[in-house]
Amino acid sequence: MSTFADKAIAYYNSLTAPASLPPGVGAMNPYQQPEVRKIVGEFYTRFFSDTSPRVFVLGINPGRFGAGVTGISFTTPQNLRRYCGIENDLRDTPELSSRFIYQIVEAFGGAQAFYGRFFLTSLFPLALTKDGKNYNFYDDRITTNTLWPAITQTVQTQLTFGADRRVAVCLGRKNEVFLRRLNEQQRFFDHIVTLDHPRYILQYKTKDAPLYVERYIATLQDCLEGA
């Protein structure tokens, strides 16, 4: 029987960038790089080599300094080494979202405990850029409409890895609008709960970060109990 890891590795290694995007919008596909393929293989083999269902935690689309570099959601090269024990030669990159997420991972008991219950992913699997900066799939209507079939397919395919479909965690209040729309169309999840996005927290609510960590952990625990 194929494990969660088997399915995830095959999926990420087969990803291709969209054939056409609106003018000025680009997509980064790190999965064609041998180093990233090695990282993806090691990461999923280490943390997902079983058939246990995970609660999906869904962001918007990767940042160019996190999964846009490593291929692992919300994970910079340095956090891959420090928290996941996966050595790599990639250049360290700054990523607020990754910094916060790994506070959550540590507060939950470490990478093995966290990834044993949760799958971090995004509605669209590749980092988007515009004018050399991070871009979100919902930042303009044309990009949203262009990518909507791919977004639908992304989530639909990833559910087959092994999803606990009773509940999904949405990261970001604006992202929630689109995940709920998707869920109304496809009925992927029974229930959706939303948390403020990690970047928002560290960019605008730094002083309150410990409270947000507590809120995240409480929400994640509730999800595991089927809340």
Side-chain angles (χ1 to χ4, degrees):
M1 179 181 291
S2 294
T3 65
F4 194 114
D6 295 331
K7 297 171 185 175
I9 292 166
Y11 170 77
Y12 286 112
N13 286 344
S14 69
L15 278 178
T16 57
S20 61
L21 285 167
V25 179
M28 300 170 64
N29 185 2
Y31 302 102
Q32 308 212 335
Q33 301 171 19
E35 170 113 15
V36 173
R37 286 175 174 257
K38 179 175 177 292
I39 287 168
V40 167
E42 189 171 345
F43 177 85
Y44 284 100
T45 299
R46 177 172 296 197
F47 299 116
F48 292 85
S49 285
D50 55 60
T51 57
S52 299
R54 265 72 170 181
V55 172
F56 277 38
V57 182
L58 298 119
I60 306 159
N61 45 258
R64 70 192 194 280
F65 292 139
V69 174
T70 63
I72 305 299
S73 292
F74 292 98
T75 306
T76 57
Q78 61 270 33
N79 286 344
L80 200 58
R81 297 184 209 106
R82 179 177 179 183
Y83 298 106
C84 302
I86 296 177
E87 292 302 317
N88 62 86
D89 296 323
L90 298 173
R91 179 177 59 86
D92 290 354
T93 53
E95 241 262 345
L96 289 178
S97 294
S98 183
R99 189 192 310 169
F100 182 81
I101 283 295
Y102 277 91
Q103 289 181 42
I104 302 303
V105 170
E106 286 296 281
F108 195 81
Q112 201 74 52
F114 180 85
Y115 289 118
R117 306 303 298 273
F118 299 98
F119 174 49
L120 281 175
T121 186
S122 301
L123 292 189
F124 183 69
L126 300 178
L128 298 173
T129 61
K130 189 171 185 179
D131 301 324
K133 298 179 181 179
N134 282 332
Y135 202 64
N136 298 319
F137 74 81
Y138 57 55
D139 283 343
D140 74 83
R141 187 175 296 178
I142 295 174
T143 300
T144 305
N145 291 341
T146 299
L147 293 177
W148 198 251
I151 287 168
T152 304
Q153 188 62 53
T154 292
V155 179
Q156 192 167 46
T157 301
Q158 292 187 348
L159 289 175
T160 67
F161 299 173
D164 183 341
R165 296 176 62 157
R166 293 175 301 169
V167 63
V169 181
C170 178
L171 301 185
R173 301 295 170 180
K174 190 168 182 181
N175 193 36
E176 178 184 16
V177 173
F178 296 91
L179 179 53
R180 289 195 182 278
R181 180 192 300 175
L182 180 67
N183 205 48
E184 286 170 7
Q185 294 172 356
Q186 304 294 333
R187 301 298 177 189
F188 287 147
F189 305 103
D190 296 340
H191 184 52
I192 292 169
V193 296
T194 302
L195 291 162
D196 288 304
H197 196 278
R199 173 169 288 278
Y200 166 81
I201 294 168
L202 288 194
Q203 194 163 352
Y204 300 107
K205 301 287 184 179
T206 308
K207 291 181 180 179
D208 296 326
L211 295 177
Y212 281 98
V213 170
E214 290 179 10
R215 189 175 302 167
Y216 260 65
I217 295 299
T219 299
L220 295 178
Q221 293 286 8
D222 284 347
C223 288
L224 294 181
E225 295 166 10

